[in-house]
Amino acid sequence: MVQTTEALPQGEPNHAPHEAVDLAQTPAGRTVRRIGHGGVFVPADPDDVAEPHESTATLMPRTEAAVRRDLREDRFDATTSFDYLLSGLAASYPDGHLPVGGRLNETRDALMRLGAAMIEPAAAPGPLDATVPAVYTYWGQFIDHDITLNTNGPDDGSGPGGDKALGDVVSDPFRAFRPKVVVRSLHNGRVPLLDLDSLYGSGPRFEGEKDRGTTRSEAAYVPGSVKLRLGRVATEPLGPFSLVAPGDDPQRDLPRSSEPGSERMPLIPDSRNDENLVVAQFHVAMIRFHNATVDWVARHEPWSATTQRELFNRAQQLVRYHYQWLVVHDYLRTLTKPGVLDTVLATGPKLFRPARRVSMPLEFAVAAFRFGHSMVRGTYDYNVNFTRNGPGGTATLDQLFQFTGNGGLSPSPANPLPALPSNWPIEWARFTDKGDAAAFRKARKIDPFLADGLGDLLNEGNGAAGSVRALLKHLAQRNLLRGYMLAIPTGEAVAKELGARPLTPEQLRQNASPELVAALDDLDGTPLWYYVLKEAEVQGNGNFLGEVGSRVLVETFLYLLRLDDESFMRRPGRDWTPAHGVRFDDRRLITTLPDLLVFAGVLPIRHDKAGRPIFRKTKNGYAGHDGA
């Protein structure tokens, strides 16, 4: 393993790696292309000399060089660090962790069997539907892509002892690393500050501004405008399918490249948001919310937007504030145990004291925040066409992966389409209503079982073979092995450290198959990811996280928001609230995610007397349009 040195003192800054680097090459402005679920940093094609907005490389060459230098020289200049939320458990390694050393292969085998048993059983006990609307699954995925990007990759053999990039769970032989090695070697390609860099990248460049026309993120913007681009869908019905309301609104897809060799590639700062159709449509909604906010600022705050730059900056600030406020007061309040959020809001986050100030907690990123994988359904009530008794039936997971750029936007990989078909825009009303009695419009319960499709991911591992291919496609096994490889403590150890009553062995095994029980019996402790899922089942009936999962999430998010000088929690004078943000024409506030979607023009604002949905409009048409 790599030889490590003592961690740097807390507060070590993350400077730009070189004076000549512009915003397109800093972590906050990085645009990431051609990377999939669980994807990692991969080298660029040396022959890729395309203009920034046309390049299909994961990272641009100078950014890639800076990231490689970080990995090679134990630096954190172009990247940010990971660290352990519970430093005491990391310091006591291997106590409080799954066994290593002579029991490594035995433990790995048990984790593989546990992961296999976590895929949805043929006859699952009890109802699998939660009370939480299905949108929360994919909102969580959008959040994750905004704050983490694993730059871990194959060991390049450089530096003392090699292993600078730690390898991956498919490495042979498999290895589990000491916490100090993980902290020195694992790098995050995002600044984890909930600043929506996955939406904005490095921002637009306006006439007269430095480097206009040379930065990669500019492809996401309408040229010469403060608005983000949108892709178009047809407004004519397709075959036996109906148009999805409002049928005359074409701006309902991600902007996509038409350049040869990169057809259908999303022109957004993080291509992982085109991984499946629901997260892609969520990104579309955020684009439209930004555009609608631009129009609102221009109309209601003209004094703050006398130039294009001022208009963009003010709109971006408001979008970030609304998004961050909703992450705390809608997302966390919905999915965490009652009382936990209010306690940490009152006292402030206390757990995370990383060596470097800008860090992502590993217990969060590698275990607790992966609870959303359990919420993924096998089928969805997606829109008027893909629903029960609709012409297409309910939408399957495979279809949600097919109708993306990587899936060809088509049911047939051999016959890709240039744009999203008119029968596939989402109907958010089927995903967002907490009062909807239709159980099949909810997320799956948070428990240790995953939908069948997550055991064989459609777009993953297709270039590999044999056991490597099988592991890359199996989400549960990958999650468990990654947690073991990166020295994540056991669930029991984390509960004890937090002062929570650990789940009993009987609770950890209730409602489990004999195969799952046998795998747990062969482990000396419970993997934190499995523990968080089981705790949610036991303490929240699968509708919200238990004590351990809730504490890890709340402590992490509030730490990140308090860390960010430009977050809504650091507004001079007092914390920002929606009363200081954009409003509907009737002065109503945006206090829930559905409110945001209505303001963006993608969720009906009301229905007419005949029951037809009415969507928000401005003087220029539907709210959120890009004006192009």
Side-chain angles (χ1 to χ4, degrees):
M1 294 183 181
V2 67
Q3 297 174 357
T4 61
T5 58
E6 290 304 311
L8 297 176
Q10 185 173 351
E12 179 73 13
N14 287 310
H15 296 299
H18 190 278
E19 289 183 1
V21 169
D22 65 20
L23 286 173
Q25 294 170 279
T26 66
R30 181 165 299 138
T31 294
V32 181
R33 301 250 168 89
R34 294 296 199 206
I35 191 167
H37 184 93
V40 298
F41 165 73
V42 294
D45 182 347
D47 297 325
D48 185 359
V49 294
E51 292 297 320
H53 69 283
E54 297 175 354
S55 173
T56 62
T58 304
L59 302 175
M60 294 303 290
R62 290 167 67 191
T63 302
E64 178 182 328
V67 169
R68 287 191 174 280
R69 184 172 62 189
D70 276 7
L71 294 171
R72 185 174 62 250
E73 300 178 7
D74 291 327
R75 298 165 63 102
F76 286 93
D77 294 334
T79 58
T80 57
S81 66
F82 290 89
D83 209 334
Y84 292 91
L85 185 73
L86 303 171
S87 57
L89 289 179
S92 68
Y93 181 84
D95 293 343
H97 294 72
L98 296 177
V100 289
R103 293 185 60 187
L104 184 142
N105 289 332
E106 174 188 337
T107 302
R108 180 187 183 278
D109 175 70
L111 291 172
M112 289 287 286
R113 289 186 284 114
L114 176 62
M118 289 177 68
I119 298 301
E120 185 175 53
L128 295 175
D129 300 308
T131 59
V132 177
V135 68
Y136 286 89
T137 309
Y138 298 93
W139 187 4
Q141 186 178 29
F142 181 88
I143 293 170
D144 179 66
H145 292 170
D146 190 52
I147 59 179
T148 59
L149 172 64
N150 181 11
T151 59
N152 181 28
D155 178 16
D156 63 8
S158 63
D163 303 331
K164 288 294 184 180
L166 297 181
D168 204 350
V169 295
V170 297
S171 299
D172 187 16
F174 175 83
R175 288 175 290 179
F177 294 90
R178 293 179 288 115
K180 282 189 177 182
V181 177
V182 174
V183 171
R184 293 294 293 183
S185 303
L186 195 64
H187 293 247
N188 186 2
R190 286 285 184 211
V191 173
L193 296 183
L194 292 164
D195 59 358
L196 289 175
D197 60 342
S198 63
L199 179 70
Y200 290 115
S202 59
R205 295 291 186 277
F206 302 115
E207 190 70 40
E209 293 187 339
K210 181 184 177 183
D211 297 326
R212 186 185 184 210
T214 65
T215 62
R216 198 177 199 191
S217 296
E218 288 176 87
Y221 294 84
V222 175
S225 170
V226 301
K227 291 189 173 182
L228 288 158
R229 290 173 59 186
L230 285 156
R232 271 48 172 181
V233 299
T235 55
E236 297 82 33
L238 179 67
F241 300 105
S242 302
L243 288 174
V244 180
D248 60 341
D249 182 357
Q251 298 193 26
R252 290 192 284 173
D253 190 21
L254 297 171
R256 298 186 182 278
S257 172
S258 58
E259 296 292 328
S262 60
E263 296 91 343
R264 298 174 301 280
M265 181 179 68
L267 297 175
I268 57 177
D270 197 319
S271 68
R272 293 175 298 170
N273 284 345
D274 191 36
E275 175 189 297
N276 64 69
L277 187 52
V278 182
V279 77
Q281 291 283 288
F282 192 95
H283 194 108
V284 168
M286 290 303 300
I287 291 174
R288 291 187 56 154
F289 182 60
H290 166 83
N291 293 345
T293 300
V294 168
D295 291 334
W296 187 92
V297 171
R299 178 183 176 187
H300 294 280
E301 297 183 355
W303 62 87
S304 69
T306 58
T307 68
Q308 283 187 307
R309 173 55 59 188
E310 289 177 346
L311 176 57
F312 174 79
N313 289 348
R314 177 57 175 158
Q316 181 187 50
Q317 181 188 57
L318 286 171
V319 170
R320 284 173 168 169
Y321 282 0
H322 279 289
Y323 167 75
Q324 293 168 351
W325 193 93
L326 289 172
V327 166
V328 174
H329 294 286
D330 188 337
Y331 183 82
L332 286 179
R333 199 169 292 284
T334 297
L335 293 171
T336 59
K337 185 177 180 179
V340 174
L341 174 61
D342 290 321
T343 297
V344 181
L345 281 171
T347 63
K350 303 293 185 185
L351 295 179
F352 198 34
R353 296 294 182 268
R356 294 172 179 83
R357 184 168 174 266
V358 183
S359 299
M360 169 57 66
L362 284 155
E363 295 92 334
F364 170 92
V366 180
F369 200 47
R370 294 174 184 255
F371 77 93
H373 293 160
S374 174
M375 298 170 68
V376 175
R377 298 184 63 90
T379 62
Y380 285 90
D381 181 35
Y382 185 80
N383 64 21
V384 65
N385 299 304
F386 297 94
T387 182
R388 291 179 180 175
N389 301 318
T394 52
T396 66
L397 267 184
D398 277 358
Q399 287 174 318
L400 296 183
F401 283 98
Q402 287 169 341
F403 286 93
T404 63
N406 195 40
L409 299 170
S410 165
S412 171
N415 297 290
L417 298 173
L420 186 68
S422 64
N423 57 333
W424 275 106
I426 198 168
E427 281 187 78
W428 283 116
R430 299 170 187 261
F431 281 72
T432 58
D433 185 358
K434 287 185 176 181
D436 196 325
F440 75 124
R441 292 180 175 175
K442 307 298 185 182
R444 281 175 48 101
K445 285 191 173 185
I446 308 169
D447 62 23
F449 299 117
L450 275 65
D452 181 63
L454 299 182
D456 188 15
L457 292 168
L458 182 69
N459 293 338
E460 300 301 318
N462 294 326
S467 60
V468 171
R469 174 187 171 94
L471 180 54
L472 288 172
K473 285 181 167 293
H474 200 291
L475 187 58
Q477 291 176 335
R478 282 167 47 187
N479 282 349
L480 291 167
L481 291 185
R482 185 172 286 113
Y484 184 37
M485 182 182 82
L486 298 179
I488 303 302
T490 65
E492 293 88 349
V494 172
K496 183 178 179 181
E497 189 77 4
L498 295 177
R501 177 179 295 179
L503 298 181
T504 66
E506 292 75 23
Q507 288 174 318
L508 288 164
R509 289 160 174 78
Q510 71 183 32
N511 299 327
S513 67
E515 294 80 9
L516 194 150
V517 170
L520 286 177
D521 288 344
D522 289 341
L523 290 167
D524 188 7
T526 307
L528 181 58
W529 179 54
Y530 177 90
Y531 186 97
V532 166
L533 298 180
K534 194 66 181 182
E535 185 190 52
E537 178 190 317
V538 172
Q539 297 182 2
N541 193 29
N543 296 311
F544 53 81
L545 295 170
E547 183 71 24
V548 168
S550 297
R551 281 288 303 280
V552 173
L553 256 68
V554 170
E555 287 274 349
T556 297
F557 279 120
L558 295 191
Y559 164 80
L560 295 173
L561 288 166
R562 290 294 184 191
L563 176 67
D564 182 4
D565 290 336
E566 297 182 357
S567 84
F568 85 98
M569 285 189 166
R570 298 290 299 276
R571 182 174 179 263
R574 57 181 174 176
D575 288 355
W576 180 92
T577 75
H580 302 99
V582 302
R583 296 182 181 227
F584 292 95
D585 290 343
D586 61 2
R587 304 294 293 164
R588 186 162 51 91
L589 307 182
I590 293 177
T591 59
T592 66
L593 179 66
D595 291 338
L596 182 150
L597 299 176
V598 170
F599 193 86
V602 297
L603 182 67
I605 193 168
R606 64 181 182 277
H607 290 76
D608 65 16
K609 293 181 180 179
R612 292 183 294 262
I614 305 298
F615 290 79
R616 182 171 174 268
K617 289 186 175 183
T618 67
K619 64 179 182 179
N620 297 317
Y622 286 107
H625 277 194
D626 63 15

